[in-house]
Amino acid sequence: QKEVEQDPGPLSVPEGAIVSLNCTYSNSAFQYFMWYRQYSRKGPELLMYTYSSGNKEDGRFTAQVDKSSKYISLFIRDSQPSDSATYLCAMSGYNKLIFGAGTRLAVHP
Amino acid sequence: GAVVSQHPSWVICKSGTSVKIECRSLDFQATTMFWYRQFPKQSLMLMATSNEGSKATYEQGVEKDKFLINHASLTLSTLTVTSAHPEDSSFYICSAGPTGAGANVLTFGAGSRLTVL
């Protein structure tokens, strides 16, 4: 079993839709939970991070962490074509950062 | 915010030559930097952890003699791909976080695309 599981997609949604991206993990030692966005041929860009459980909101983006279920989510409201990218979840907790496989998102006009 | 600069962004080299990629933290000091490799449509694979002033820690299966890492200062780590071959062609990305943050909440460079002919 992989430490971090993420559905690679692709996920295709119409502009304006609410997008839900998810990851599950197996290691309870993880304390930091991150979401990165990666455009083609670019390095990952940190979108949001959360320490321990809870919700965090930043503009159209909301990150949720449920440590009891070992499940994290990223919600994108009012999705835009410019949101089309690969979204990677990442977790750390013992001086090592583990990435999910990434979900490819396409938002079409 | 934290900025990580990576250079070059794209390099083409002949088989058998060596290529050096630089990773700099521009506005913070980083005791530790991380090097990743990414193949098309795949996730990032951690290659090694670069430690300032000491030897790098390599992940299982990564040849340390082929991928030389030097972390000579708190703001610079370099990855040298020695005797490159076409199968080394990939996207190499470095990341770093402020000293004390460990592997938590890293900032990534823009990546370096290596093509070996």
Side-chain angles (χ1 to χ4, degrees), chain A residues 32 34 36 38 40-46 49 88 92-102 104, chain B residues 32 34 36 38 41-44 46 59 91 93 95 101-111 113:
Chain A
Y32 287 86
M34 283 74 72
Y36 289 86
Q38 186 177 24
S40 181
R41 298 174 181 263
K42 300 290 184 183
E45 169 195 10
L46 179 65
Y49 76 91
L88 300 125
S92 66
Y94 46 103
N95 209 37
K96 188 170 286 188
L97 187 65
I98 306 295
F99 282 90
R104 283 185 290 139
Chain B
T32 305
F34 302 87
Y36 294 82
Q38 187 178 34
K41 297 186 179 181
Q42 295 188 24
S43 191
L44 290 88
L46 179 64
E59 296 300 304
F91 194 48
I93 311 174
S95 68
N104 305 318
V105 195
L106 298 175
T107 299
F108 284 80
R113 184 163 303 280

Side-chain angles (χ1 to χ4, degrees), chain A residues 96, chain B residues 45-48 57-63:
Chain A
K96 188 170 286 188
Chain B
M45 181 190 77
L46 179 64
M47 298 175 65
T57 305
Y58 290 82
E59 296 300 304
Q60 192 173 9
V62 178
E63 299 176 61

Side-chain angles (χ1 to χ4, degrees), chain A residues 22-78:
Chain A
N22 313 292
C23 290
T24 59
Y25 63 97
S26 57
N27 193 330
S28 58
F30 290 135
Q31 295 284 357
Y32 287 86
F33 303 90
M34 283 74 72
W35 285 96
Y36 289 86
R37 177 175 62 194
Q38 186 177 24
Y39 291 110
S40 181
R41 298 174 181 263
K42 300 290 184 183
E45 169 195 10
L46 179 65
L47 279 176
M48 302 179 70
Y49 76 91
T50 308
Y51 177 72
S52 195
S53 283
N55 296 355
K56 190 171 187 178
E57 186 173 322
D58 184 1
R60 296 185 294 112
F61 298 88
T62 300
Q64 289 185 352
V65 175
D66 182 349
K67 291 190 73 177
S68 62
S69 302
K70 297 189 177 64
Y71 188 87
I72 71 169
S73 302
L74 177 70
F75 297 97
I76 307 175
R77 291 183 298 279
D78 188 25

